[in-house]
């Protein structure tokens, strides 16, 4: 059986994001996968990268450098317990699903904080071990999210630009940088402005995709995919 970690960022379980998360748990569990959910709001996950992430003495107490300190702490097993717990979930996962509403062309702050704090140097990347040789290179990731705007608004040449432009920092700058192979995103456009019937169809489409997810090929992780 495969292991799946769903990193989920929505305040309301009854939201479409909450339903998409539940559909993924149900469908993947049916396939025999072991599914873990990090429900960031429910966990009251701390998004800020601070001195509190390091247990014990600092490598350099004169001048605090978060990147250096977390790298040194990771090597000696001195990261805070919440980070160790999330890293363990990532380590065990074959697939990472990120479920969230798009905020300001990006992920919510609580999820960005998860990326900032969990994917430390030494654990997820260590130059020159990045991109195709990143430390998480045997994993898959999928970004599943909802938007406020319609599909037409996120088309090339439209007011918001191609939705793929927004995925460059998330999929390429974070996941691919850490070596993770990325599956095509799953996007539910403007669920607030469609009928209940249409929202149900969105959930059915997600369940259908999940049935054959493991047969999918990752996207071509190159600038061409995003900007062609």
């Amino acid at each position: 059986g495969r292991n799946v970690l769903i990193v989920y960022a929505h305040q309301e379980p009854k939201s479409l994001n909450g339903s998409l998360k539940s559909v993924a748990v149900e469908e993947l569990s049916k396939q025999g996968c072991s599914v873990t959910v990090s429900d960031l709001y429910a966990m009251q996950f701390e998004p800020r990268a601070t001195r509190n992430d390091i247990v014990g003495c600092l490598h350099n107490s004169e001048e605090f450098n978060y990147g250096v300190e977390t790298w040194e702490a990771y090597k000696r097993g001195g990261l805070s317990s919440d980070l160790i717990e999330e890293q363990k979930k990532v380590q065990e996962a074959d697939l990472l699903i990120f479920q969230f509403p798009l905020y300001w062309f990006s992920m919510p702050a609580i999820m960005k904080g998860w990326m900032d704090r969990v994917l430390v140097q030494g654990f997820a990347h260590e130059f020159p071990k990045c991109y195709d040789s990143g430390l998480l290179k045997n994993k898959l990731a999928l970004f599943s999210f909802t938007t406020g705007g319609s599909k037409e608004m996120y088309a090339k040449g439209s007011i918001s630009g191609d939705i793929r432009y927004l995925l460059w920092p998330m999929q390429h700058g974070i996941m691919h940088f850490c070596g993770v192979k990325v599956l095509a995103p799953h996007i539910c456009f403007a669920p607030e402005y469609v009928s209940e019937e249409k929202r149900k169809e969105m959930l059915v489409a997600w369940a259908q995709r999940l049935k054959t997810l493991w047969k999918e090929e990752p996207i071509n992780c190159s600038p061409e995919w995003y900007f062609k």
Side-chain angles (χ1 to χ4, degrees), residues 61-161:
S61 54
E62 298 299 305
E63 190 180 332
F64 184 71
N65 178 320
Y66 185 81
V68 170
E69 293 298 343
T70 49
W71 183 26
E72 292 296 335
Y74 175 74
K75 287 190 283 192
R76 65 176 164 80
L79 288 173
S80 58
S81 57
D82 60 336
L83 294 192
I84 290 170
E85 198 173 317
E86 292 306 298
Q87 287 176 346
K88 187 167 180 285
K89 294 176 193 175
V90 171
Q91 201 68 66
E92 290 171 356
D94 300 297
L95 167 67
L96 308 166
I97 295 177
F98 297 96
Q99 182 65 59
F100 60 97
L102 197 68
Y103 279 7
W104 294 116
F105 279 24
S106 187
M107 61 187 84
I110 199 166
M111 183 174 278
K112 178 57 166 58
W114 185 94
M115 304 282 186
D116 292 349
R117 295 180 63 225
V118 175
L119 302 175
V120 302
Q121 187 171 355
F123 170 69
H125 57 90
E126 192 161 352
F127 192 80
K129 291 178 181 164
C130 52
Y131 290 116
D132 290 343
S133 56
L135 300 179
L136 303 180
K137 63 176 177 283
N138 296 321
K139 301 183 186 304
L140 289 169
L142 192 162
F143 286 80
S144 171
F145 58 96
T146 59
T147 68
S150 65
K151 191 170 186 175
E152 294 70 35
M153 286 173 74
Y154 289 105
K156 199 167 188 172
S158 67
I159 188 76
S160 299

